Amino acid sequence: MVNQQFTFAVHILTALAFADETMDSQELAESVNTNPVVIRRLLLGLRHAHLVETYTGKHGGTKLSRKPAQISLLEVYDAVQPRPVIAINERKASKHCRVSCNMREIMSGVAAGAEGAVREHLRGITLQKLLRKVRRAA
Amino acid sequence: MVNQQFTFAVHILTALAFADETMDSQELAESVNTNPVVIRRLLLGLRHAHLVETYTGKHGGTKLSRKPAQISLLEVYDAVQPRPVIAINERKASKHCRVSCNMREIMSGVAAGAEGAVREHLRGITLQKLLRKVRRAA
DNA sequence: TAAAGTGTAACGGAAACAATTACAGTTTTA
DNA sequence: TAAAACTGTAATTGTTTCCGTTACACTTTA
């Protein structure tokens, strides 16, 4: 993965879980060390996945829409829609080459399996677990 | 993953397995549909991992250095050294924020688990399996 | 010694991302 | 009711990462 959207999203949600109250995009941006607009763009996806609720206007901000124990990292992963774990070669195959003609389908299977393995791993991790790690730490 | 080095590498090796004789970088480039120099750059890593042997000079080229059944996609993965499956936020933490101060370590654990899941998946796939799929196809 | 390969450095362009600016819209509250 | 303090979102810029390409020295064969 090249982009940090998933990491940022997990960070945001963990911060919200730890705070247990609404935070505005400026506060979240400071915790992640980025720009508030970057945060708001991410919140768009998280809101759409019903992981957070945000309020506009003065004293606006964002809070979790569920308990941390009810949010798995798989949901976060799906919410940010990251690029595939394994990229496949989308360009045209060389027609007279049997390997070339079949590689796309073959690699699709490999990539799907890898994607599934990652998803199963993330399914088992809840925000609650991460929150406990923060609390246990120094 | 944003780059296609792993896919290209698997394609190259499958083509070599299917041909069962040396191929030059021009032939491989046509099968993958890219430039011969791109192929030669990838072969550098594969050679270093002892997956292929290449010969310089006239009638030079590359062949597998082992039977397809002895080569797993995990070895290919390690040979090309792709970017991590999950990128972590490397920037400085905000000191007064407990979440910020702990996220790097927490996400490292998540990322390592995801990486491990992908690796285990790839470990179970040999070049021989892919070769059989090519042969079975049309 | 010419031909046909590989090895590798160097450069250019495209695509993906993050950061930033800007501003309209929405609440609160003084 | 107007100012203050937020969010939503479009548009732009700069950086980084890749891939493609050219170029050329080196190696082997015929």
Side-chain angles (χ1 to χ4, degrees):
Chain A
M1 187 180 301
V2 73
N3 72 29
Q4 303 204 307
Q5 292 181 16
F6 177 68
T7 306
F8 284 3
V10 172
H11 188 142
I12 288 169
L13 294 170
T14 305
L16 289 172
F18 186 75
D20 198 26
E21 59 185 12
T22 75
M23 295 176 72
D24 64 31
S25 62
Q26 178 63 46
E27 294 173 297
L28 290 169
E30 278 167 17
S31 181
V32 174
N33 193 0
T34 183
N35 189 288
V37 178
V38 172
I39 300 295
R40 294 206 288 270
R41 270 197 293 251
L42 278 170
L43 289 174
L44 192 71
L46 300 179
R47 201 165 58 237
H48 198 260
H50 305 293
L51 298 176
V52 299
E53 287 165 20
T54 77
Y55 306 96
T56 63
K58 193 172 180 178
H59 299 163
T62 301
K63 71 177 184 65
L64 290 186
S65 61
R66 289 185 241 153
K67 303 270 184 216
Q70 308 298 318
I71 296 177
S72 77
L73 295 196
L74 176 56
E75 289 176 278
V76 182
Y77 190 76
D78 286 336
V80 302
Q81 297 184 283
R83 325 276 299 288
V85 168
I86 290 180
I88 67 176
N89 181 0
E90 302 279 6
R91 59 194 77 183
K92 264 192 286 191
S94 147
K95 276 186 189 167
H96 62 283
C97 173
R98 285 179 62 191
V99 172
S100 187
C101 287
N102 289 290
M103 277 312 292
R104 185 186 304 209
E105 183 169 349
I106 289 171
M107 281 307 298
S108 294
V110 173
E115 200 76 33
V118 169
R119 292 172 58 83
E120 279 314 304
H121 175 66
L122 296 178
R123 187 195 303 279
I125 305 175
T126 65
L127 217 52
Q128 177 68 30
K129 279 194 190 178
L130 302 192
L131 184 55
R132 270 200 285 262
K133 287 194 185 186
V134 173
R135 287 191 177 135
R136 266 205 301 269
Chain B
M1 185 178 303
V2 73
N3 73 30
Q4 303 204 307
Q5 293 180 17
F6 177 68
T7 306
F8 284 3
V10 172
H11 188 142
I12 288 169
L13 294 171
T14 306
L16 290 172
F18 186 74
D20 197 26
E21 60 185 12
T22 75
M23 295 176 72
D24 64 31
S25 63
Q26 178 62 45
E27 294 173 298
L28 290 169
E30 279 167 17
S31 181
V32 174
N33 193 0
T34 183
N35 189 288
V37 177
V38 173
I39 300 295
R40 294 205 289 268
R41 271 198 291 249
L42 279 169
L43 289 175
L44 191 72
L46 300 179
R47 201 165 57 238
H48 197 261
H50 305 293
L51 297 176
V52 299
E53 288 166 18
T54 78
Y55 306 97
T56 63
K58 191 170 179 178
H59 299 164
T62 302
K63 70 177 185 65
L64 291 186
S65 62
R66 289 186 240 154
K67 302 272 184 213
Q70 308 299 319
I71 296 177
S72 77
L73 295 196
L74 176 56
E75 289 176 279
V76 183
Y77 190 76
D78 286 336
V80 301
Q81 296 184 284
R83 324 278 297 289
V85 168
I86 291 178
I88 67 176
N89 182 1
E90 303 279 5
R91 58 193 78 184
K92 265 191 287 192
S94 148
K95 277 186 190 167
H96 62 282
C97 174
R98 286 180 62 191
V99 173
S100 188
C101 287
N102 288 290
M103 276 312 291
R104 187 187 304 209
E105 183 169 349
I106 289 172
M107 280 307 298
S108 293
V110 173
E115 199 76 34
V118 169
R119 293 172 58 82
E120 279 314 303
H121 176 66
L122 295 179
R123 187 195 303 280
I125 305 176
T126 64
L127 217 51
Q128 177 68 30
K129 278 193 191 178
L130 303 191
L131 185 56
R132 272 200 284 261
K133 287 193 186 187
V134 173
R135 288 190 176 137
R136 267 204 301 272

